[in-house]
Amino acid sequence: SFKFSKNEAEKQFSFKTESDQLKVKELWKNFYPSYFENQNPEMTVEHSLLILNREVGSLAKFISKKKSSSIDYLLIYTKDRTNIFATIVGILDSQNISVLDAQLYGTRNGFCLDCIIVCDEKGEPIKKNSLRIKRVESDLTKELEKKTLKPRLVKKKLPSHFKSFKKKTTVEVNHDMTNRWTQLDIKTADRPGLLSSICQALANNNASIKKARIATYGERAEDRFCISSLEETPFLKKRELDKLIFEIKESLDGNIS
């Protein structure tokens, strides 16, 4: 994993105008160290310029590495509120775009900055500059500009080989009192609509996603969600936590029967 710093990102400024430097440094006062540690310095500067030059309150932009013909990841910047990640997943799912990895960061000024690595439904890279990409960027921006988010999560039909998949979903729970969230480590079989199913269960139980790590290893998914309650506390009430875990497992294992 990366371990960069704000100072390393600042070294990328040699070719930027003084005006840009001042605006970016002002923006960076809102970013926590975890963001700088996990993004390479060049990308940090690119993110900042895109955020500063956005046309509306929210930004949704697919980003490619230099000289690449395909999409590397999706950058989201929007006012932090309930159901952001679920809304993004719902729109991506509806266009058959899969999430391979997601890093979600809160900011000191009440925004969230998400870096989401994506691929098409076959696991292949998505070509940049396609009409599909422009449409998804537009749909995401339009949806994220709404004050209240109501995710349209897609229910997908499981491929026939999943019907015989017997491995049950496991959910490991750890409460983090420092960050005031509950960490859920979910291990399950990867399948279409997996994130939609998890997000739906979280939304139904008023769980706000503070941080997420999505990882896929072949046919196995190991996803980590750090969630808080409506009161911005960990899920410490046993009844609420048990109900949430039951619904996550039911939404994933209930389909494999």
Side-chain angles (χ1 to χ4, degrees), residues 104-242:
L104 315 181
Y105 305 97
T107 68
R108 291 185 175 98
N109 61 335
F111 277 75
C112 67
L113 200 163
D114 302 346
C115 301
I116 302 169
I117 298 176
V118 294
C119 64
D120 69 13
E121 64 271 31
K122 293 174 184 167
E124 299 293 325
I126 300 165
K127 293 286 180 199
K128 68 178 181 185
N129 301 327
S130 65
L131 285 174
R132 176 196 198 181
I133 289 305
K134 298 289 176 205
R135 185 170 62 244
V136 175
E137 285 178 344
S138 171
D139 288 352
L140 283 165
T141 305
K142 196 159 68 178
E143 200 63 31
L144 292 171
E145 280 297 278
K146 294 178 181 175
K147 192 174 180 182
T148 304
L149 301 177
K150 293 180 180 171
R152 296 192 299 272
L153 294 164
V154 182
K155 197 80 175 169
K156 296 205 172 182
K157 193 167 183 265
L158 285 179
S160 55
H161 72 273
F162 274 100
K163 305 291 182 186
S164 58
F165 201 99
K166 299 297 180 197
K167 188 175 179 182
K168 294 291 182 187
T169 296
T170 64
V171 182
E172 189 179 310
V173 178
N174 287 292
H175 300 299
D176 184 332
M177 303 310 292
T178 305
N179 289 303
R180 295 172 68 80
W181 64 42
T182 294
Q183 181 177 299
L184 302 179
D185 287 297
I186 303 169
K187 294 182 181 179
T188 190
D190 191 30
R191 84 289 303 267
L194 169 64
L195 283 182
S196 277
S197 296
I198 295 172
C199 285
Q200 187 72 70
L202 294 175
N204 289 349
N205 287 274
N206 296 314
S208 174
I209 303 169
K210 299 299 181 185
K211 194 176 176 186
R213 233 5 246 202
I214 313 301
T216 309
Y217 306 97
E219 293 191 343
R220 193 173 91 257
E222 295 186 7
D223 299 341
R224 172 174 291 175
F225 290 89
C226 298
I227 59 166
S228 65
S229 67
L230 287 175
E231 295 81 33
E232 294 290 324
T233 61
F235 267 70
L236 294 173
K237 295 175 184 170
K238 189 174 186 307
R239 187 184 297 173
E240 288 180 9
L241 183 59
D242 287 348

Side-chain angles (χ1 to χ4, degrees), residues 33-51:
S34 59
Y35 166 71
F36 293 103
E37 287 168 6
N38 289 290
Q39 304 298 317
N40 81 54
E42 282 183 28
M43 297 317 290
T44 301
V45 173
E46 185 174 356
H47 292 175
S48 303
L49 294 174
L50 285 167
I51 289 166

